[in-house]
Every structure is written in C-alpha cells, then in structure tokens.
C-alpha cells in the first residue's frame, strides 16, 4: 500500500484527502514509479476546485520525479532504478503507474528535485517562447506573474534568448526577484497605472503578452499590445476570463489571441522529447536555474495549496515524498 491525494469531491482545501491504495503491477506499456519529489502547480488548484470538470474520484497532481520500480510488458528504453520525471495527471502519490511514453529519463546534471520543479513549468516556457509566439532576440514581451513558478523560469530563459521581458508581480519584493532573475523591468500590477507603465517602458506597446492571470489582467493586457500583437492567455490565477468579446481585438488594431495548453505541445513522444530536451539543455548549460521557494512534506499538501492560492509563494513549491 502507498499513499495518494485523492479528490472524492472537488472544493476547497478540505477536498485534499490522503488515502492508502494499492497501485498494483504495471500493465503493458506502463511503468511503476516511486516519486521522490512532486511539483506543485496552479493547475492543481483548478482541478481541486473542479474548474476543469474532471470526474471524481481522481488522484490530483500533474508533475513528479522519482525512480522506476517496475517495467510493464513491451516497454523499451526504461529499466528498474532509472531516474525519471513526467507531466501527467495523478502525480500526488508516493507510488503510481504511468504510460511509459509520458516519461523521460533524467540526464546527469538534473536532480529529481530540480526536475519536479521545472518539468511542467519549464516546458510551458519552452512552448510559449518558441512555439506559441516564437519571440525573437531584441523583441520585448510582457509576462505576468513574473516571480511565480513559471515566471522566474521565463525571466531567465528570456535573458538567455536576448529577449526583453517586462514582468509584472504583486509586490515590490517579487518585482525585485524577477529583475534578479533576468527581467528587464518589472511593474507592480496592483498599482492603478500598470498599463501606462508598461506602454511607456516598451515604447508604445509590446508585440506579445503572455498572460496567466486571466480575468483581472485581460483587458489591461490587450491595452499593452501594439496593433497585430499576440495575446497569449494561458492561465486563470485570478479566475477564468468571462468578459471577452472578439471586437476587443478589432478595436485595438487587429490583435491575435491564443488559449494554449502544454498538453497539446507534448502530446506525442517526439514532441515530448523535443520540448523536454530543449528544457534540459538550458538547465544543464546554466542559463536557467530551477528556483525552489518552498519545500514541504507530502503530508502537508493542504498547506502547500493554501500558500500558492494566497500568493505567498515565489518560484516552485515542492512536495517531498
Ligand atoms: P505561480 O507560482 O505563478 O502562482 C500564481 C501567481 O499568480 C501568484 O503567485 C500571483 O503572483 C499571481 N496572481 C495574480 N492574481 C492572482 C489571484 N487572484 N490569485 C492567486 N494568484 C494570483 O503558479 P504556476 O507557476 O504554477 O502557474 C502560473 C500560471 O500559469 C497559472 O495561471 C497556471 O495555470 C498557468 N499555466 C498554464 C499552463 C498552460 O499550458 N496553459 C501550463 C503551466 C502553467 P503575484 O502575487 O505576483 O500576483
């Protein structure tokens, strides 16, 4: 038997129940993995609350790292003892089964803890900067929540790409942290005139906004764009956008909008290898360093969620198994 965080009814922190279960043996094409570290992500809050409408019961969590404890029939490329990591639902568990084609073997130079801090968040930055809107050296972007888990990785990766990143964050301390990690500027978006500040810093608008905050920043983000600019809305930390009308893109100069999800960018084995490989390269070169702001024992998962939702965290939070 091993422990897992099972959501029987979606809701607040009380929905996080830790239960014993028997994971069993891996079936054909599967691995059994013992997690050593689990990454906390804002998407876990959306699933816990029921925003993404998953059938219950389910094991929460989307990212983990550990080692292989058993290999199912027909699986090639893995053996017992391999250090591995993944982005896949069902991560909040001491031990789990998983389809082998969702798992990557960790290279030297990337520890299990680092992997749990970067797999989901870092691959998100990869697709945002290289695929969603392929930003070019010398260009400027606006990146919200720049001191968060995704945010601090984005600040570093932007610097490595010679991209000017104007970050936003909720406190002066968080802004300073974003600057320390490579943001060119950082604006406190709890101030009334953050849009004006961004327009001034960018010389009259940016070509792209990466917005994970959602409802509270949506309109301001559109106002920060140049004509033909790209609004990449990829998260809902402040709540899902409920007030959008296509005419808002027209009136600001024929803007484009995308609502991407990482899962589409790593759907096939080849895509996963390419995106994860790119991430491991920038980590191994030292251009991007995982930032772990908080470590908690697995049993304190509710406290981890509380801190994330209360905007108390910086960088990644890790659950230690
Ligand atoms: P973060 O560590 O960035 O935490 C979220 C941050 O959002 C907070 O720290 C806070 O920073 C900011 N925020 C702004 N308004 C609110 C609010 N009302 N309530 C809570 N937080 C708020 O989380 P992650 O790094 O895990 O994820 C960042 C975002 O990216 C999330 O929205 C997530 O869903 C999204 N995401 C989307 C993916 C995709 O493929 N679509 C993949 C990965 C992540 P501050 O105090 O500075 O405002």
């Amino acid at each position: 038997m091993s422990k897992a965080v099972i959501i029987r009814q979606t809701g607040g922190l009380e929905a996080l129940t830790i239960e014993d279960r028997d994971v069993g043996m891996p079936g054909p094409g599967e691995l059994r993995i013992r997690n050593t570290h689990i990454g906390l992500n804002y998407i876990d809050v959306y699933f816990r609350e029921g925003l993404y409408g998953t059938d219950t019961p389910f094991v929460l969590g989307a990212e983990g790292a550990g080692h292989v404890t058993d290999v199912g029939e027909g699986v090639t490329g893995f053996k017992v003892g391999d250090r591995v990591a993944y982005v896949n639902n069902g991560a909040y568990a001491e031990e789990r089964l998983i389809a082998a084609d969702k798992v990557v073997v960790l290279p030297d130079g990337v520890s299990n803890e680092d992997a749990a801090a970067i797999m989901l968040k870092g691959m998100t930055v990869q697709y945002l900067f290289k695929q969603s809107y392929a930003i070019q050296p010398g260009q400027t972007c606006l990146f919200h929540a720049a001191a968060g888990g995704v945010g601090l990785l984005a600040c570093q990766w932007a610097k490595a790409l010679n991209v000017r990143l104007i970050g936003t964050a909720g406190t002066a301390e968080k802004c300073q942290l974003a600057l320390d990690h490579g943001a060119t500027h950082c604006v406190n978006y709890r101030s009334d005139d953050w849009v004006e500040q961004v327009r001034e810093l960018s010389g009259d608008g940016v070509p792209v906004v990466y917005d994970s905050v959602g409802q509270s920043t949506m309109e301001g983000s559109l106002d920060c764009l140049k004509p033909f600019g790209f609004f990449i809305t990829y998260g809902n930390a402040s709540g899902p956008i409920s007030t959008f009308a296509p005419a808002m893109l027209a009136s600001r100069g024929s803007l484009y909008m995308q609502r991407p999800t990482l899962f589409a960018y790593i759907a096939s084995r080849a895509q996963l290898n390419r995106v994860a490989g790119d991430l491991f390269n920038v980590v191994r070169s030292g251009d991007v360093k995982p930032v772990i702001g908080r470590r908690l024992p697995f049993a304190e998962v509710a406290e981890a969620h509380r801190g994330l939702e209360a905007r108390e965290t910086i960088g990644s939070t890790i659950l230690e198994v």
Side-chain angles (χ1 to χ4, degrees):
M1 297 292 264
S2 64
K3 296 195 184 309
V5 176
I6 298 180
I7 304 292
R8 298 209 167 267
Q9 192 174 359
T10 54
L13 299 180
E14 74 291 344
L16 299 161
T17 54
I18 300 182
E19 299 181 20
D20 284 317
R21 64 168 187 167
D22 182 5
V23 293
M25 300 301 283
E30 285 187 333
L31 299 172
R32 192 173 64 206
I33 292 175
R34 176 161 285 279
N35 285 322
T36 56
H37 300 83
I38 297 161
L40 190 77
N41 288 282
Y42 219 93
I43 194 173
D44 306 343
V45 174
Y46 308 144
F47 276 115
R48 190 204 72 215
E49 289 175 334
L51 181 67
Y52 289 168
T54 319
D55 289 340
T56 51
F58 63 92
V59 177
L60 193 60
E63 160 182 61
H67 54 266
V68 174
T69 55
D70 213 329
V71 179
E73 195 190 313
V75 173
T76 54
F78 294 92
K79 60 181 186 318
V80 171
D82 278 348
R83 289 193 315 113
V84 292
Y86 57 85
V87 169
N88 194 245
N89 290 335
Y92 284 9
E94 291 176 338
E95 218 174 0
R96 66 167 299 170
L97 301 177
I98 185 169
D101 65 0
K102 299 296 172 198
V103 180
V104 294
V105 174
L106 289 174
D108 291 344
V110 180
S111 69
N112 290 15
E113 184 181 65
D114 284 350
I118 59 166
M119 285 300 288
L120 195 151
K121 302 168 190 75
M123 291 202 292
T124 298
V125 177
Q126 198 281 354
Y127 87 70
L128 289 174
F129 283 174
K130 301 214 168 171
Q131 304 188 66
S132 205
Y133 176 89
I135 193 153
Q136 300 303 308
Q139 280 192 305
T140 304
C141 67
L142 173 60
F143 204 103
H144 288 305
V150 175
L152 286 181
L153 297 174
C155 291
Q156 298 177 73
W157 206 327
K159 189 176 181 196
L161 291 171
N162 262 322
V163 163
R164 288 163 41 87
L165 182 148
I166 302 176
T168 61
T171 65
E173 293 74 23
K174 286 186 177 185
C175 275
Q176 186 56 51
L177 201 67
L179 294 171
D180 293 345
H181 285 81
T184 319
H185 303 280
C186 190
V187 173
N188 185 337
Y189 55 6
R190 285 181 161 179
S191 64
D192 290 339
D193 64 346
W194 66 267
V195 173
E196 216 175 292
Q197 289 185 56
V198 171
R199 290 201 69 91
E200 214 174 284
L201 289 167
S202 60
D204 219 19
V206 291
V208 57
V209 180
Y210 301 104
D211 187 333
S212 64
V213 174
Q215 180 61 35
S216 72
T217 46
M218 184 265 295
E219 196 148 3
S221 293
L222 297 179
D223 287 337
C224 289
L225 283 164
K226 289 178 172 169
F228 308 109
F230 283 72
F231 175 53
I232 313 292
T233 169
Y234 71 100
N236 337 282
S238 70
I241 293 172
S242 59
T243 53
F244 175 77
M248 296 169 88
L249 303 179
S251 60
R252 290 166 174 86
S254 303
L255 304 178
Y256 297 85
M257 170 170 159
Q258 187 199 23
R259 175 55 172 98
T261 166
L262 170 64
F263 295 99
Y265 287 92
I266 55 169
S268 71
R269 179 81 235 181
Q271 286 170 305
L272 174 62
N273 285 348
R274 191 162 57 83
V275 178
D278 214 6
L279 172 64
F280 293 150
N281 284 342
V282 289
V283 171
R284 295 175 82 198
S285 73
D287 283 341
V288 174
K289 295 188 177 62
V291 184
I292 300 171
R294 200 171 187 206
R295 295 173 176 84
L296 286 168
F298 180 61
E300 291 181 31
V301 58
E303 167 56 21
H305 272 235
R306 189 205 60 74
L308 185 63
E309 288 178 86
R311 303 167 80 161
E312 289 174 5
T313 58
I314 52 103
S316 304
T317 300
I318 294 293
L319 297 174
E320 295 174 324
V321 182

